[in-house]
Amino acid sequence: MKFGTKAIHAGQEPDPTTGAIMTPIYQTSTYWQKSPGDNKGYEYSRGTNPTRKALESCLAALENAKHALAFSSGMGATDAVMKLLSPGDEVITGNDLYGGSYRIFTKIFANYGVKFHFIDMTRAENVKEYINANTKLIWIETPTNPTMQIVDIAAVADIAKAKDLLLAVDNTFASPYLQNPMDLGADIVMHSVTKYLGGHSDVVMGALMLNDDELYKRLWFIYNACGATPGPMDSFLVLRGLKTLHLRMKAHCENGRQIAEFLKDHPKVDKIYWPGFTDHPNHDIAKKQMRDFGGMISITLKGADLKETYRVASSFKVFALAESLGGVESLINHPVSMTHGSIPKEEREKVGVTENLLRLSVGVEDIEDLLEDIKQALSN
C-alpha cells in the first residue's frame, strides 16, 4: 500500500463484534481468562491493549518496520532505549539535540555510569573518532532541534554496522511521510508522537519502530516492566490523527516553503535555518534522504537582545507562543527559555542556539494569514 492508504488502514480491521469501521476504545485495565493463562492474547493493559495494538501496527507500517511500541511520551520511548545500556557503556550523539534528550542523557543516565559524547554529526566521518570498545549506541536527530542540522543516516548506519553498534534515529521533525530511517539502515526509529503523528496538540505520546525480533523482545520487556505505556483513549486519538498525516504534511511543507522564502530576505532576520535552501549545510543529503523539507524553521533576529526577542515572540497573533510543534496550528517557540533551557549556555551557543533565536512550527492555516502575522510581528 502507498503511504496515505497505510495511514488510513494499516493495523485496522472492522470490529468483529459490531462491524464498526473505527477501532473501538477498549477502556479496560484487565481481561477475562477462561482458565489461568488461557486468554485471548490480552491479560493486563500495561502490557498491551487492543486499541494500542492497532496503533502500533499502523505506526510500524508507516516506518516500513516490523514492530512498533507506543509509549506515554517521547521521553518514555527514549528512556526505554537507554535502558538497553549498562554502566560503562558509551553513546555517541549530536551536539544539537532536543533539550529533553540532552537532559535525560546528562542528568539521569550519566548518573548510572553511561557516558555520552555530544559531537558534530554533520560529517559522518566524525563519528569514527569517538568509537571505542565501550561504544554501544549512536543516537541521532535529523533535522536537528532547533538548528536543522542534517545528518547522513545511511553513512552513519554503515559506520554503525561495521562496528556492530545500534543506531537509533529521532525522526520527529521529518515524520515518516518525509523520511524513513529504517530504509536507510537504522535499527530503531523514535518519534515524539505528540508532534506530527498525532498532529492536533491534544495527545502526549512516543513510539519506537524496529525490525529485529530479539531487540523487540528486549524493548517490550522494558516497556511492560517499567510501564510507560499509553492509555486507549490517547491511542485512539493518534490513530485518528494518522489518517490525515499525508494531507497535513503536504500543507506543512507548502506553507513552510513560502514562509522560509519570505523570511530569508527579511531585513530583521539575521540567520535562517531551513534544509530546503540550497545553501543550507548538507542540503544535498537532505534532498537525498527526505521527500520534502518540512514546516520547521528557525531564525535569529538581527541585532536583537533577549528583551527584544521576547517582545517579538509575544507579538504574533496567529502563531501561538508555546512549546511543542507539529500540530495543525502554527507555533512560535523561544528555545533558550523554553524547550532547550536545560542545556548549558556555552554548549547551546556553540551550535547557534542563541538568545535571539526563534523556532517556528508552521501549521496548515491559510498562508496569507500566516505571512501577514509574521509581517506585523516583525514590523512592530
Side-chain angles (χ1 to χ4, degrees):
M1 292 189 287
K2 300 296 184 182
F3 188 92
T5 309
K6 287 193 289 188
I8 294 169
H9 293 288
Q12 298 157 80
E13 300 290 340
D15 176 53
T17 303
T18 65
I21 291 295
M22 296 302 295
T23 303
I25 302 166
Y26 288 90
Q27 196 71 49
T28 183
S29 61
T30 192
Y31 304 84
W32 173 81
Q33 300 187 27
K34 185 175 182 180
S35 62
D38 184 2
N39 55 64
K40 296 179 181 296
Y42 301 94
E43 299 176 29
Y44 186 61
S45 280
R46 174 176 19 85
T48 191
N49 170 281
T51 314
R52 190 197 316 152
K53 191 66 178 174
L55 170 63
E56 290 172 338
S57 297
C58 189
L59 291 171
L62 294 181
E63 280 290 10
N64 301 326
K66 187 175 180 181
H67 305 290
L69 293 167
F71 291 80
S72 54
S73 69
M75 295 317 304
T78 302
D79 176 80
V81 175
M82 294 301 121
K83 285 173 179 169
L84 295 169
L85 304 173
S86 300
D89 288 347
E90 298 189 12
V91 178
I92 300 169
T93 187
N95 60 4
D96 184 43
L97 199 65
Y98 167 54
S101 300
Y102 182 91
R103 180 176 57 216
I104 199 172
F105 294 168
T106 60
K107 302 298 184 184
I108 305 295
F109 285 96
N111 293 333
Y112 294 101
V114 179
K115 184 175 181 180
F116 295 86
H117 300 276
F118 299 93
I119 72 167
D120 178 1
M121 301 189 81
T122 57
R123 286 186 66 254
E125 291 296 307
N126 291 345
V127 173
K128 292 181 179 180
E129 298 176 25
Y130 293 86
I131 295 175
N132 59 51
N134 296 322
T135 309
K136 296 296 188 292
L137 171 69
I138 301 173
W139 177 281
I140 64 178
E141 286 181 16
T142 182
T144 64
N145 182 1
T147 64
M148 313 298 160
Q149 291 180 16
I150 300 298
V151 181
D152 189 332
I153 298 171
V156 176
D158 288 343
I159 294 168
K161 282 180 170 48
K163 297 292 185 178
D164 197 26
L165 306 175
L166 284 176
L167 172 61
V169 178
D170 181 340
N171 199 31
T172 300
F173 266 32
S175 88
Y177 180 77
L178 298 182
Q179 180 173 270
N180 296 115
M182 299 295 303
D183 295 347
L184 300 171
D187 298 294
I188 301 170
V189 176
M190 194 285 289
H191 279 276
S192 174
V193 176
T194 310
K195 313 306 193 294
Y196 285 111
L197 297 182
H200 294 79
S201 301
D202 54 7
V203 175
V204 174
M205 191 184 289
L208 301 175
M209 294 76 151
L210 62 157
N211 283 327
D212 184 85
D213 292 342
E214 288 305 310
L215 183 59
Y216 172 72
K217 289 177 183 177
R218 291 174 65 195
L219 283 166
W220 192 90
F221 178 84
I222 294 167
Y223 158 97
N224 180 52
C226 296
T229 52
M233 185 66 196
D234 284 354
S235 299
F236 173 84
L237 287 171
V238 174
L239 270 173
R240 185 177 67 170
L242 289 175
K243 293 180 187 299
T244 59
L245 177 61
H246 56 302
L247 304 176
R248 290 185 283 108
M249 289 308 300
K250 288 177 184 177
H252 286 299
C253 290
E254 291 169 5
N255 282 354
R257 179 179 297 278
Q258 292 189 61
I259 287 174
E261 290 172 350
F262 172 78
L263 288 169
K264 187 171 188 181
D265 299 318
H266 196 284
K268 287 199 175 180
V269 173
D270 184 17
K271 296 178 182 176
I272 182 165
Y273 302 94
W274 183 67
F277 290 128
T278 56
D279 59 354
H280 185 87
N282 284 353
H283 166 77
D284 289 344
I285 294 170
K287 191 174 180 180
K288 177 181 70 174
Q289 67 189 22
M290 298 174 71
R291 299 178 189 94
D292 207 332
F293 303 107
M296 297 303 302
I297 303 164
S298 291
I299 58 172
T300 57
L301 301 176
K302 192 172 293 182
D305 59 11
L306 187 60
K307 182 179 179 181
E308 172 63 10
T309 304
Y310 276 9
R311 188 197 64 76
V312 172
S314 303
S315 297
F316 288 85
K317 293 179 170 56
V318 179
F319 281 80
L321 178 60
E323 296 192 13
S324 200
L325 59 105
V328 290
E329 67 290 318
S330 293
L331 301 177
I332 187 90
N333 170 270
H334 183 243
V336 164
S337 63
M338 297 167 78
T339 52
H340 290 65
S342 60
I343 301 177
K345 180 179 179 181
E346 62 275 14
E347 293 301 318
R348 63 179 183 244
E349 287 190 347
K350 286 178 185 177
V351 293
V353 185
T354 53
E355 290 183 341
N356 64 338
L357 183 138
L358 296 173
R359 190 193 72 190
L360 286 72
S361 174
V362 179
V364 302
E365 300 96 336
D366 288 304
I367 188 62
E368 294 83 3
D369 294 323
L370 296 180
L371 288 171
E372 188 59 37
D373 193 35
I374 293 171
K375 289 175 187 175
Q376 66 82 24
L378 292 179
S379 65
N380 289 338

